[in-house]
Amino acid sequence: MVKRSTPCISKRKDPKQARANALIAAILEAAVQVLRTEGAMRFTTARVAERAGVSVGSLYQYFPNKAAILFRLQSDEWRETSERLRAILEDGATPPKERLRRMVHAFVRSECDEAQVRIALHDAAPLFRDAPEAEAAREDGSDVIQNFIEMTISHVVAARRAIVADLIETTLCRGASGFSEVERSDAEIEAYASAMSDMFCAYLDSLANDTKI
């Protein structure tokens, strides 16, 4: 069996000066623009460098290949989404079901607003998804809903809580992803997120007296 090589997606070096940070920011912004206009199939380091107004050599100082750039965009998106959802779900001043509703609305809105880039990154995923860094980045954001469910239905046994969290996360991600593949109006986004929120809240209500092992 031929062993598939693992792509190199780590930065070549970390920036230590403001100018270097500005260069990386310009490269990443240019990469987003190239993804939006060209898509994943025509995404190249040369196009990114040209759009950023820098040499390919300057780009390679920080990103060894296009997979590294695409992974940085994807991991930034994962991190920002996780932080946004965590801030909503860990707001102890808000009732749990209201937190859940706000989280669903925020997630669906985000998926629709960034659909073009997200779809392009999904198409490019084979370039970086098998790298160890990609697995670590996915795991970092996987506990947001799990922790919320742990606290919200703590009376339910652990194995069942895990199922609940997985069902909510999977339904949310796949549902919002499919919904966002078509351009949606604000009213459509609001209606879809509200319906999904109602479904999740009803599901949690059904577990109010659940103590099954």
Side-chain angles (χ1 to χ4, degrees):
M1 180 182 293
V2 177
K3 185 176 181 180
R4 184 167 49 186
S5 60
T6 301
C8 177
I9 60 174
S10 296
K11 296 194 303 294
R12 288 189 183 277
K13 64 180 182 179
D14 291 320
K16 293 182 170 55
Q17 298 179 347
R19 186 168 64 179
N21 281 309
L23 173 61
I24 289 177
I27 290 170
L28 294 175
E29 177 57 34
V32 170
Q33 293 174 13
V34 171
L35 272 180
R36 284 177 174 155
T37 58
E38 304 289 345
M41 297 300 293
R42 291 174 54 80
F43 184 94
T44 65
T45 53
R47 285 192 172 92
V48 172
E50 180 181 12
R51 185 68 64 93
V54 303
S55 69
V56 174
S58 294
L59 182 151
Y60 282 146
Q61 289 184 53
Y62 298 98
F63 299 100
N65 47 46
K66 69 177 184 179
I69 301 174
L70 291 163
F71 171 69
R72 172 62 185 269
L73 293 177
Q74 181 65 86
S75 60
D76 283 353
E77 193 275 331
W78 283 336
R79 188 191 69 254
E80 290 166 5
T81 298
S82 293
E83 290 175 354
R84 187 183 308 120
L85 301 189
R86 182 174 285 109
I88 295 171
L89 292 179
E90 292 183 355
D91 178 13
T94 304
K97 284 194 288 188
E98 179 59 27
R99 279 182 260 166
L100 182 58
R101 290 182 181 280
R102 291 181 182 178
M103 183 274 291
V104 171
H105 279 264
F107 187 83
V108 173
R109 171 66 64 179
S110 175
E111 289 288 284
C112 291
D113 288 346
E114 300 299 326
Q116 194 173 23
V117 172
R118 179 184 51 72
I119 291 170
L121 285 172
H122 181 271
D123 292 340
L127 293 173
F128 56 76
R129 67 185 174 198
D130 294 325
E133 298 96 325
E135 180 62 27
R138 285 191 292 266
E139 289 178 354
D140 283 344
S142 65
D143 63 347
V144 177
I145 293 176
Q146 179 70 47
N147 290 343
F148 171 75
I149 293 299
E150 290 277 344
M151 293 183 294
T152 304
I153 54 172
S154 57
H155 65 285
V156 176
V157 295
R160 190 152 175 82
R161 290 199 304 267
I163 293 173
V164 172
D166 182 66
L167 280 171
I168 290 178
E169 182 173 359
T170 301
T171 303
L172 175 65
C173 293
R174 294 185 180 178
S177 176
F179 176 76
S180 68
E181 289 178 1
V182 176
E183 187 173 353
R184 304 291 184 175
S185 67
D186 287 343
E188 287 175 320
I189 294 171
E190 181 70 18
Y192 186 86
S194 294
M196 186 176 279
S197 299
D198 289 343
M199 180 175 66
F200 290 155
C201 288
Y203 182 29
L204 291 186
D205 284 342
S206 74
L207 298 169
N209 301 311
D210 192 322
T211 57
K212 290 186 292 186
I213 297 177

